[in-house]
């Protein structure tokens, strides 16, 4: 009788535990969980990823046509530059040059993909830094300032190209919900862009320890440029004057040197960026 009772208990326990499926919940190997980024190193990697799309390369199928220099949509479209090569080489650029632009032009799709991937990566940083317990408040502010500068920059690019575009912030963006970014494009997002760039300007240091990271003056130049696009000249001029008065920058003796890789981070563009240089020059 005791053996039968013991057997019944074992079977009952087996049935009670055997129906559970927790054993199926196994974390995949060689795959990073979001929890891996909730620390100083992880946030740094995410921030580097947000910076990396400034050249337009790395957002899926996109390549150089997503870069912030916009030579296709600016210089080529205005006849300041010529595509060159053969008719079969990047024919979409020829259509832009001839003002025969169709809705399926891959360059515009690529530009959209790059800027909103950049927005998403910037928001990834802003969400992760809030959960990085080991970071100090000062470190978090510096990360937020850089990420908001990048988010402002990518939205700025979208605004310049497409005008009425959606603004996606870290409160709206949910990487697990594709519908979270289906935001109406019925608002002018200049105030949002200004707010991001202003936060960066107010919180970034004048000099960064690593080349390539945006500084206070880089944020000032980009914010000034946003003002110029809106014809807010009174707001832009003091910022340009502050950049000049900082004494950290000067014109290169030879203008062509600004376009040589060997001259990167020299007196005219150091930590301000090529994207802002032409606007700054007009005020000098």
């Amino acid at each position: 009788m005791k053996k039968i009772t013991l057997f019944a208990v074992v079977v009952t326990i087996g049935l009670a535990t055997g129906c559970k499926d927790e054993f199926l919940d196994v974390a995949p190997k060689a795959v990073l969980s979001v929890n891996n980024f909730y620390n100083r190193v992880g946030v740094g990697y995410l921030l580097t990823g947000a910076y990396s799309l400034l050249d337009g390369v790395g957002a899926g199928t996109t390549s150089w046509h997503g870069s912030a220099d916009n030579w296709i949509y600016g210089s080529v479209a205005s006849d300041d530059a010529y595509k060159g090569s053969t008719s079969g080489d990047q024919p979409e650029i020829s259509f832009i040059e001839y003002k025969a632009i169709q809705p399926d032009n891959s360059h515009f799709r690529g530009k959209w993909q790059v800027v909103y991937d950049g927005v998403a990566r910037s928001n990834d940083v802003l969400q992760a830094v809030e959960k990085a317990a080991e970071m100090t408040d000062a470190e978090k502010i510096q990360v937020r300032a850089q990420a908001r500068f990048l988010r402002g920059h990518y939205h700025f690019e979208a605004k310049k190209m497409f005008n009425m575009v959606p603004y996606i912030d870290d409160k709206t963006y949910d990487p697990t919900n594709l519908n979270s970014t289906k935001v109406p494009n019925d608002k002018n997002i200049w105030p949002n862009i200004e707010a991001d760039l202003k936060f960066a300007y107010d919180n970034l240091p004048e000099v960064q320890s690593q080349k390539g990271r945006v500084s206070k003056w880089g944020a000032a130049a980009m914010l000034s440029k946003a003002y110029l696009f809106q014809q807010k000249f009174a707001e832009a001029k003091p910022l340009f004057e502050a950049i000049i008065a900082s004494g950290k920058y000067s014109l290169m003796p030879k203008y062509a040197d600004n376009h040589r890789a060997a001259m990167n981070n020299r007196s005219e563009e150091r930590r301000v960026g090529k994207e802002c240089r032409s606007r700054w020059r007009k005020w000098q």
Side-chain angles (χ1 to χ4, degrees):
M1 181 64 69
K2 289 182 178 181
K3 290 183 179 181
I4 295 175
T5 302
L6 179 60
F7 176 76
V9 171
V10 171
V11 170
T12 302
I13 295 174
L15 291 173
T17 59
C19 295
K20 295 182 179 180
D21 58 2
E22 285 88 348
F23 70 95
L24 295 174
D25 298 329
V26 178
K29 296 181 179 179
V31 175
L32 287 175
S33 160
V34 291
N35 295 325
N36 294 116
F37 294 98
Y38 297 156
N39 53 67
R40 185 180 292 105
V41 174
V43 168
Y45 286 149
L46 290 175
L47 184 56
T48 298
Y51 271 107
S52 72
L53 287 184
L54 290 173
D55 63 358
V57 179
T61 59
T62 62
S63 59
W64 42 264
H65 57 245
S67 176
D69 58 24
N70 292 317
W71 71 273
I72 298 171
Y73 319 106
S75 296
V76 171
S78 67
D79 292 330
D80 185 47
Y82 177 59
K83 181 186 79 69
S85 188
T86 65
S87 60
D89 179 17
Q90 301 295 325
E92 296 92 344
I93 301 179
S94 295
F95 295 143
I96 295 172
E97 188 174 23
Y98 303 151
K99 308 297 187 296
I101 303 169
Q102 299 298 318
D104 62 348
N105 190 299
S106 63
H107 282 67
F108 290 96
R109 182 180 67 246
K111 182 66 175 181
W112 180 278
Q113 186 174 343
V114 165
V115 294
Y116 278 102
D117 191 355
V119 168
R121 294 188 188 192
S122 302
N123 284 327
D124 282 333
V125 176
L126 292 166
Q127 290 177 347
V129 74
E130 297 303 319
K131 300 178 181 179
E134 69 179 44
M135 297 180 67
T136 66
D137 289 341
E139 289 174 327
K140 288 184 177 182
I141 289 175
Q142 289 305 301
V143 168
R144 289 191 198 104
Q146 292 177 73
R148 289 192 63 175
F149 169 86
L150 292 169
R151 186 173 69 184
H153 162 76
Y154 290 123
H155 278 111
F156 191 174
E157 287 292 295
K159 177 66 176 175
K160 287 192 297 182
M161 288 289 298
F162 307 105
N163 191 20
M164 297 300 287
V165 294
Y167 178 83
I168 312 295
D169 64 16
D170 53 303
K171 302 298 186 295
T172 302
Y173 170 69
D174 180 358
T176 66
N177 179 11
L178 296 179
N179 291 319
S180 68
T181 55
K182 293 181 179 179
V183 177
N185 62 327
D186 57 353
K187 295 181 178 61
N188 190 331
I189 68 169
W190 279 125
N192 307 96
I193 294 171
E194 289 180 17
D196 277 340
L197 298 177
K198 183 66 163 54
F199 183 88
Y201 173 63
D202 289 339
N203 290 282
L204 287 170
E206 294 191 13
V207 177
Q208 290 279 18
S209 59
Q210 290 182 311
K211 293 179 180 179
R213 292 187 183 275
V214 63
S215 70
K216 179 183 184 70
W217 301 121
M222 188 66 77
L223 178 57
S224 301
K225 184 176 180 180
Y227 285 145
L228 290 182
F229 267 74
Q230 302 172 77
Q231 298 186 9
K232 292 183 177 180
F233 304 119
E235 290 86 345
K237 186 177 180 181
L239 289 173
F240 283 121
E241 291 176 337
I243 294 170
I244 297 168
S246 72
K248 298 182 181 298
Y249 312 99
S250 61
L251 295 178
M252 294 286 285
K254 295 182 179 179
Y255 178 76
D257 285 345
N258 288 305
H259 303 281
R260 295 177 55 199
M263 295 294 181
N264 282 351
N265 298 301
R266 296 302 175 97
S267 60
E268 187 168 342
E269 69 173 18
R270 184 171 55 245
R271 300 183 183 89
V272 172
K274 295 178 182 178
E275 176 68 7
C276 306
R277 185 194 313 117
S278 61
R279 300 289 176 178
W280 175 28
R281 182 186 295 276
K282 291 180 181 180
W283 286 99
Q284 284 190 298

